[in-house]
Amino acid sequence: MPTDAALAAPAPPAPFPLRAHFLVAVLLALLAWAAHATDLDHLLAQAAFDPVQRTFPARDWRLLGLVGHQLAKSAVWIVWFVLFAASIASLRLASLAPWRRVLWATTAAMAAGPALVSMLKPFTGPRCPWDLAEFGGSAAATSDWLVRSAEAGRCFPGGHASGGFSLLAIYFAGVMLAAPRLQFAGLAAGFGAGLAFSAVRMVQGAHFLSHNLWSACVVWTVAMVIFALAHPKMQPAFAASATRTA
C-alpha cells in the first residue's frame, strides 16, 4: 500500500507516448495475422487434439476448467472490483483524491476492453476449433470477419484471454503516474495472465492462437485510447484539435 505521503502527492505525469503505444497495437495485430497466415493456429490446435477420440481431451479436465477458467476469471473480477471501490472512495476520501483520475481510467480500461471483445463476438465469422469439422465438430472454416449475427461463430476474438489482458490497464496507470515499477508489474500481469488464459482455452479447443492475439490487440488499443483521453498532458492537445475542427 502507498504511504499517506505518497497518496497525497503522486508524481507529476510524464507526456503520454501515444505513437509508441500505437506501434505496439500494430505489432500485436501483425502477430495475430501471422499466427493465422502461417498456419501456426492449426499446428497448435492439432497438438492439443486427439485424432482417435476426435476431441480435445483437456476440454474434460475439471481441474483445468476450475482453476484455469473459473477461478482465474474470478481473480480478475476481484482486482476490478477493488479498483472500482477505490475509484468510488476517491470521490469522498481526501487521501485518494489525487489518484482519482488514474483510478477511474484504470477501472474503465479494464472493463471496456473485454466488453468490446464480447460485443464483437456476435458479429464475427471465425469459429472455435472444437466447432470445426477437422477437429470433431461440424462447421466449415470461414475467413469472413464480419458476418450477420445468424452466421456468427461467436468465438472471435478470445473472450477469456481478454480478461487476462485487461490487467494491462495497470501498465497504463504506471505510464500516467511515471512509475516504472508499476509499468513493469502491469506488463507482467497483463501479458502473463493473458497468455496463460489463452493457453488454457487453446488446449481445451475453444480458441486459436490468433483469436487471443487479436484480443490482446483490442484490449491494448482500448486501454491506450482511454488513458490518452484521461492523461492530463494530452487533454490540452485534444481541446485544441476540437477547436480547430469546429
Side-chain angles (χ1 to χ4, degrees):
M1 287 291 294
T3 64
D4 290 341
L7 286 173
F16 188 82
L18 184 60
R19 182 177 301 178
H21 289 112
F22 177 75
L23 290 177
V24 173
V26 172
L27 175 61
L28 290 170
L30 288 174
L31 290 173
W33 173 83
H36 177 73
T38 62
D39 216 33
L40 180 59
D41 275 351
H42 283 75
L43 289 174
L44 293 175
Q46 288 167 357
F49 182 67
D50 184 341
V52 177
Q53 299 294 326
R54 301 291 296 165
T55 188
F56 290 89
R59 189 175 183 181
D60 298 320
W61 294 353
R62 293 184 179 181
L63 184 60
L64 181 63
L66 175 63
V67 176
H69 192 236
Q70 298 176 22
L71 293 181
K73 182 188 296 185
S74 297
V76 174
W77 272 108
I78 290 171
V79 173
W80 185 84
F81 276 116
V82 169
L83 285 168
F84 182 62
S87 300
I88 295 292
S90 72
L91 300 175
R92 300 297 299 272
L93 298 179
S95 61
L96 288 176
W99 303 84
R100 185 179 301 150
R101 184 191 300 268
V102 71
L103 283 169
W104 279 112
T106 308
T107 301
M110 276 195 69
L116 179 56
V117 167
S118 295
M119 288 189 288
L120 289 172
K121 282 174 171 286
F123 304 101
T124 54
R127 301 273 180 170
C128 302
W130 62 34
D131 288 333
L132 299 178
E134 64 180 300
F135 294 117
S138 58
T142 177
S143 58
D144 296 334
W145 275 26
L146 297 178
V147 297
R148 293 178 299 178
S149 182
E151 301 170 350
R154 302 180 188 278
C155 192
F156 174 85
H160 187 51
S162 72
F165 289 124
S166 73
L167 295 173
L168 288 167
I170 297 171
Y171 159 76
F172 285 96
V175 173
M176 181 180 285
L177 296 172
R181 290 184 179 180
L182 189 59
Q183 293 174 35
F184 177 80
L187 288 175
F191 282 119
L195 293 174
F197 288 17
S198 299
V200 168
R201 298 302 275 164
M202 286 167 61
V203 298
Q204 290 176 327
H207 289 292
F208 289 114
L209 174 61
S210 63
H211 294 187
N212 297 318
L213 291 175
W214 279 117
S215 180
C217 181
V218 169
V219 170
W220 177 276
T221 302
V222 169
M224 174 187 70
V225 171
I226 288 174
F227 274 90
L229 292 172
H231 198 282
K233 292 193 176 182
M234 290 292 288
Q235 289 179 345
F238 288 130
S241 177
T243 302
R244 288 195 298 270
T245 302

